Amino acid sequence: MDPELLERITARRAELDELEEQLARQLAEARAERDELAFAEKVLERMSEQLAGERATSAPAPGQVAGRAVMVIPHRAPDVEETMLPPDYQRILSVVRQAAGPVMAREVGEMVGVDVSVRSKLEPLRGKLVRLVDRGWLRKQPDGRFTTRL
């Protein structure tokens, strides 16, 4: 047999052995990562279920009016219309919606006719704005300004 040809065959076999080892390592790494992702997915599902259960139990209980369960300020949901809000909350919501951008409680007060120079008059309005945030109708930014949800 030709020694040069035998040498080339041996070199190629060594290259293929090295490639096989490299591919085996990559396959092992891919399988390990896939297993980690499957585990993370299970953890995420459990946490989501747990959070959903906690949210369901922590939802505010509706009040009783004339023997019927009602929530004065309902949570925003696809089947809940803005018209279900009390008129003063509808007015606040429309003021925030008509603003050119995020607004402070003081600016909303000026638009709805509250005496903003007196803090005791402004705080109930701020409470209503926060209640609208809590129920999902508005969004409060970190700087304290209010804006409508997207």
Side-chain angles (χ1 to χ4, degrees), residues 40-52:
E41 187 176 29
K42 288 178 183 177
V43 170
L44 181 62
E45 286 177 15
R46 286 185 195 144
M47 289 179 66
S48 295
E49 290 171 2
Q50 182 181 6
L51 286 174

Side-chain angles (χ1 to χ4, degrees), residues 1-145:
M1 234 199 230
D2 184 16
E4 183 183 323
L5 187 57
L6 193 56
E7 189 178 309
R8 290 177 68 188
I9 290 173
T10 304
R12 181 65 181 151
R13 180 172 281 144
E15 288 175 9
L16 291 174
D17 288 345
E18 186 179 321
L19 180 61
E20 182 182 20
E21 289 175 17
Q22 181 183 1
L23 291 174
R25 281 192 305 272
Q26 287 179 343
L27 179 61
E29 290 172 3
R31 286 181 175 159
E33 186 175 348
R34 187 185 60 209
D35 292 343
E36 289 174 1
L37 289 173
F39 180 74
E41 187 176 29
K42 288 178 183 177
V43 170
L44 181 62
E45 286 177 15
R46 286 185 195 144
M47 289 179 66
S48 295
E49 290 171 2
Q50 182 181 6
L51 286 174
E54 288 174 3
R55 286 184 184 141
T57 59
S58 68
Q64 291 282 328
V65 175
R68 290 184 30 202
V70 296
M71 184 171 289
V72 178
I73 309 301
H75 285 275
R76 186 172 191 184
D79 60 335
V80 179
E81 295 181 20
E82 189 177 320
T83 56
M84 297 177 82
L85 294 171
D88 51 339
Y89 284 86
Q90 289 179 32
R91 191 173 57 203
I92 292 169
L93 199 55
S94 70
V95 165
V96 175
R97 197 171 278 135
Q98 291 170 3
V103 292
M104 297 294 289
R106 179 176 301 277
E107 296 171 76
V108 175
E110 290 170 352
M111 297 295 289
V112 296
V114 172
D115 184 5
V116 295
S117 63
V118 180
R119 186 178 174 100
S120 63
K121 304 277 185 181
L122 192 57
E123 284 308 312
L125 174 64
R126 190 181 320 278
K128 289 178 181 181
L129 285 163
V130 169
R131 197 166 297 116
L132 286 170
V133 169
D134 292 343
R135 300 295 200 272
W137 293 95
L138 294 177
R139 186 168 54 104
K140 186 175 182 181
Q141 296 184 334
D143 62 359
R145 296 183 303 164

